[in-house]
Amino acid sequence: MDRQEFLISSPIGLLDFPETIEVQHTGFDISAYHQNLFGHHQVDFPGNLGKAVDKRCAEYLAGRIVARKAIERINSTKPKIGTHEDRSPIWPQGLIGSITHSDGVVIAAVAEQKHHRLLGIDFEHWMSAELAGELCDQLLDQSEKQLLLQSDLAFERGVTLIFSLKESFYKALYPHVNTFFGFDEARVRSIDTTNGAFIIELLTSFGKEYQQGWSIKGCFKVLSDGVLTYIYG
């Protein structure tokens, strides 16, 4: 089984990121996955995947492949990217990064810490109207629901977008706060669908630096089958 059977063309297309952030992405065929592919791609198989289903293993492998490619574009090295006990990636010294995957698509963003302290990226396929209705109250507070009503987004796309925005926010902050926080501890304050921009704020405090009310701007790109969101700072 060769690389071409597992890694396939990406449906994402060209992405417009700052020059200081290297982004790589690929499609992958879960049905073509086999554990031997870890050795083929020189990626260590982590112990915590020992009993994981093929889907989870394939996502992990594809994520490490594109993350390593992004790092190589930055500094011409091909490091092994380990895994913390909390399952977050162990980035090489001087680098930060974020990996996202959804139904056969994986994207990695990497940057040097001398350029950025925060980096979070998320890609979500559009939810169905039924699923969005089921999850809405878990993901959105009343002000966010009102925000969607005032926007030009279809309900299910709006719920998907806010879910993804909060995922990117969590990924960007987690390495600094080292604490899990839920959807109800962040609030999307504004969404600019014309320019693909948003502002999100903390509703709780994590130490002196990240206090309640701390906010940051982010970006999103609407795609045909999903939405890509990202935060950097």
Side-chain angles (χ1 to χ4, degrees), residues 76-121:
S76 300
T77 66
K78 297 181 179 181
K80 292 187 181 295
I81 305 167
T83 306
H84 291 290
E85 289 186 5
D86 60 12
R87 299 185 179 182
S88 62
I90 301 174
W91 299 103
Q93 186 173 3
L95 299 177
I96 59 170
S98 184
I99 301 172
T100 181
H101 45 72
S102 175
D103 295 337
V105 177
V106 64
I107 309 169
V110 181
E112 294 179 276
Q113 289 181 326
K114 66 181 180 181
H115 297 307
H116 300 286
R117 292 188 67 247
L118 300 169
L119 181 59
I121 187 171

Side-chain angles (χ1 to χ4, degrees), residues 78-233:
K78 297 181 179 181
K80 292 187 181 295
I81 305 167
T83 306
H84 291 290
E85 289 186 5
D86 60 12
R87 299 185 179 182
S88 62
I90 301 174
W91 299 103
Q93 186 173 3
L95 299 177
I96 59 170
S98 184
I99 301 172
T100 181
H101 45 72
S102 175
D103 295 337
V105 177
V106 64
I107 309 169
V110 181
E112 294 179 276
Q113 289 181 326
K114 66 181 180 181
H115 297 307
H116 300 286
R117 292 188 67 247
L118 300 169
L119 181 59
I121 187 171
D122 187 69
F123 173 71
E124 301 292 337
H125 283 90
W126 296 119
M127 294 181 190
S128 65
E130 180 181 5
L131 181 60
E134 293 174 0
L135 297 180
C136 182
D137 289 341
Q138 300 175 41
L139 303 176
L140 282 66
D141 66 14
Q142 198 57 44
S143 68
E144 290 168 332
K145 292 176 183 177
Q146 188 63 35
L147 195 63
L148 289 190
L149 288 174
Q150 296 170 351
S151 76
D152 55 1
L153 293 166
F155 169 73
E156 62 269 24
R157 292 200 169 198
V159 173
T160 307
L161 174 60
I162 287 185
F163 171 64
S164 187
L165 301 182
K166 291 187 176 184
E167 284 288 305
S168 285
F169 187 61
Y170 175 80
K171 291 177 181 180
L173 278 190
Y174 181 80
H176 298 274
V177 302
N178 294 308
T179 303
F180 171 80
F181 58 95
F183 295 108
D184 60 343
E185 295 179 271
R187 173 182 292 148
V188 178
R189 204 164 68 196
S190 69
I191 298 174
D192 179 352
T193 57
T194 301
N195 297 303
F198 66 94
I199 298 174
I200 188 168
E201 66 179 343
L202 269 177
L203 299 182
T204 189
S205 296
F206 298 104
K208 294 181 179 180
E209 186 171 3
Y210 300 103
Q211 293 282 312
Q212 180 180 359
W214 182 89
S215 65
I216 190 169
K217 295 179 180 178
C219 304
F220 65 91
K221 181 178 181 180
V222 173
L223 306 168
S224 60
D225 56 352
V227 63
L228 174 71
T229 64
Y230 53 98
I231 290 173
Y232 59 91

Side-chain angles (χ1 to χ4, degrees), residues 2-27:
D2 60 27
R3 179 180 62 177
Q4 285 71 32
E5 292 178 318
F6 177 61
L7 299 179
I8 58 179
S9 62
S10 170
I12 299 299
L14 294 175
L15 297 175
D16 184 21
F17 274 73
E19 292 183 358
T20 50
I21 300 175
E22 181 62 39
V23 178
Q24 293 291 321
H25 54 91
T26 187

